[in-house]
Amino acid sequence: MSKKPSQSLADELKPYVAPFRFDGAGEFHLKSHKTNEKGGLDKDKATRIIEANRERLNDFQEKLYAQDRWSLLLIFQGMDAAGKDSAIKSVFEGVNPQGCDVWSFKQPSSRELDHDFLWRSMIALPERGRIGIFNRSYYEECLVVRVHPEILAKQKIPERLVTKDIWKERFEDISAMERYLARNGTVILKFFMNVSKEEQRERFLERLEDPAKNWKFSLADIGERKLWAKYQAAYQDMIHHTSTKQAPWHIVPADHKWFARVVIGSAIVSALDRLDLHFPKVDKADRSEFKQVREALLAEGKGVAK
């Protein structure tokens, strides 16, 4: 009696990835994506998946580093209080920090403004064998800069180049850059933390009421909240124009942090599983040499080494 083929890891995790992944095929409407989705899970079952994904990610990261062929770039975008920081902390709990680099891109410095809009992100790209995590990214140049045109005016771009097509041009430049990275061995996964306006309100109140979280709050956050509709429109346009098979967006339901972590961890693990990562094989000559070294070390332990 023949045995059924075992289910692949990617197939096992597909229910928590596929419904939220958009690679540019077909139409995209941000409003059609629920922010409070739970994927049929309760918190206990979700916790077991999160813990299993941590173990898998730790194993894949070691092989990724040892093989030194691929690199992984993870991009996190979302409104204030969407849960980017806590998701990164949770998903990568227990992973060797030596193999990861986390970059948080804030207001550009005067030096960064003397370069093109992609420059500061490009110098932070992960090396082969490493995982690069961008907490906000070059996509801010199509979001906050678009919502606040006064920021664009400070970027020293020649006036005749700032046309009505600038956002379309930036989408094209970003997609071309991501295609180039993919062709050179960088796996790109992008996560939009899709939080509701009501949930953001609750999290702001929590920050105000908890002294340990006061530092996270700024009056500027309330100003940005008033521009919610403009930001949602900017995200809609950005995801629609920059989702590709090489660099898909994942619209992560973020009202329930535990489910967001299921989606993010599952997407990362599934992508790494497809790379056929393994530890480098030792050739015959090296194995022969290892045997001699082993014998010498054993002899040394017996106190008879010459």
Side-chain angles (χ1 to χ4, degrees):
M1 184 172 166
S2 61
K3 294 182 179 180
K4 293 182 179 180
S6 58
Q7 187 179 35
S8 72
L9 186 54
D11 286 339
E12 178 187 335
L13 297 174
K14 188 175 181 180
Y16 315 121
V17 180
F20 315 106
R21 183 180 185 274
F22 180 64
D23 64 3
E27 295 293 321
F28 174 75
H29 300 286
L30 182 56
K31 288 184 177 180
S32 67
H33 289 263
K34 294 181 180 179
T35 61
N36 62 350
E37 178 64 58
K38 296 180 182 179
L41 301 175
D42 57 33
K43 197 169 183 178
D44 288 339
K45 188 171 182 180
T47 299
R48 291 194 292 272
I49 296 172
I50 291 168
E51 291 173 350
N53 280 339
R54 284 175 185 153
E55 293 181 11
R56 294 158 175 161
L57 182 53
N58 182 60
D59 178 58
F60 281 134
Q61 185 273 324
E62 288 184 357
K63 292 175 181 176
L64 179 79
Y65 186 85
Q67 195 177 58
D68 199 27
R69 296 283 182 177
W70 298 92
S71 59
L72 179 64
L73 175 61
L74 307 174
I75 293 174
F76 290 83
Q77 292 287 160
M79 298 293 287
D80 294 319
K84 298 181 293 297
D85 293 6
S86 60
I88 293 169
K89 180 180 178 181
S90 174
V91 170
F92 285 87
E93 183 179 321
V95 175
N96 189 343
Q98 294 185 98
C100 303
D101 297 299
V102 182
W103 297 86
S104 295
F105 295 97
K106 301 184 183 298
Q107 184 175 344
S109 66
S110 57
R111 182 180 181 225
E112 290 167 343
L113 288 173
D114 275 334
H115 291 271
D116 61 274
F117 80 92
L118 286 172
W119 179 79
R120 66 174 181 162
S121 301
M122 296 305 94
I123 60 175
L125 289 172
E127 303 169 13
R128 296 192 189 281
R130 300 183 69 85
I131 298 173
I133 303 168
F134 284 6
N135 186 347
R136 300 192 188 276
S137 67
Y138 43 84
Y139 280 105
E140 291 294 288
E141 297 293 334
C142 303
L143 295 167
V144 65
V145 178
R146 188 172 186 176
V147 173
H148 294 278
E150 66 274 13
I151 298 177
L152 184 63
K154 297 177 182 178
Q155 294 191 342
K156 302 182 181 181
I157 303 170
E159 289 185 12
R160 65 181 178 181
L161 298 181
V162 182
T163 70
K164 61 180 178 61
D165 295 323
I166 190 168
W167 308 118
K168 177 185 176 183
E169 292 167 353
R170 287 194 170 185
F171 293 149
E172 291 174 350
D173 293 337
I174 287 172
S175 294
M177 178 272 295
E178 290 179 342
R179 182 171 60 248
Y180 164 79
L181 291 177
R183 287 173 173 173
N184 283 272
T186 297
V187 176
I188 305 169
L189 298 177
K190 301 178 295 196
F191 300 99
F192 168 55
M193 308 295 288
N194 190 23
V195 70
S196 67
K197 193 174 183 180
E198 175 58 23
E199 179 63 22
Q200 186 197 57
R201 186 182 74 88
E202 294 292 335
R203 293 179 186 180
F204 278 170
L205 287 171
E206 183 181 351
R207 289 179 179 183
L208 288 169
E209 294 166 3
D210 185 350
K213 295 183 178 181
N214 284 172
W215 65 274
K216 288 186 174 184
F217 186 79
S218 167
L219 286 177
D221 296 340
I222 298 301
E224 294 299 276
R225 179 174 167 80
K226 292 178 181 178
L227 301 171
W228 185 276
K230 288 186 177 181
Y231 272 108
Q232 295 299 298
Y235 272 114
Q236 160 73 35
D237 207 27
M238 180 197 76
I239 294 171
H240 174 70
H241 285 97
T242 62
S243 294
T244 63
K245 290 183 178 179
Q246 297 95 340
W249 275 102
H250 297 79
I251 297 80
V252 181
D255 281 1
H256 301 288
K257 290 186 176 182
W258 50 268
F259 187 67
R261 294 163 189 176
V262 168
V263 174
I264 295 166
S266 297
I268 296 170
V269 166
S270 296
L272 291 173
D273 184 48
R274 295 189 186 95
L275 299 183
D276 188 29
L277 299 171
H278 55 267
F279 292 111
K281 294 181 180 179
V282 179
D283 61 32
K284 189 174 181 181
D286 284 337
R287 286 200 302 271
S288 178
E289 188 174 303
F290 289 170
K291 183 178 179 181
Q292 295 176 35
V293 173
R294 181 176 181 277
E295 290 173 352
L297 289 171
L298 289 172
E300 182 182 322
K302 295 177 182 178
V304 296
K306 294 183 181 179

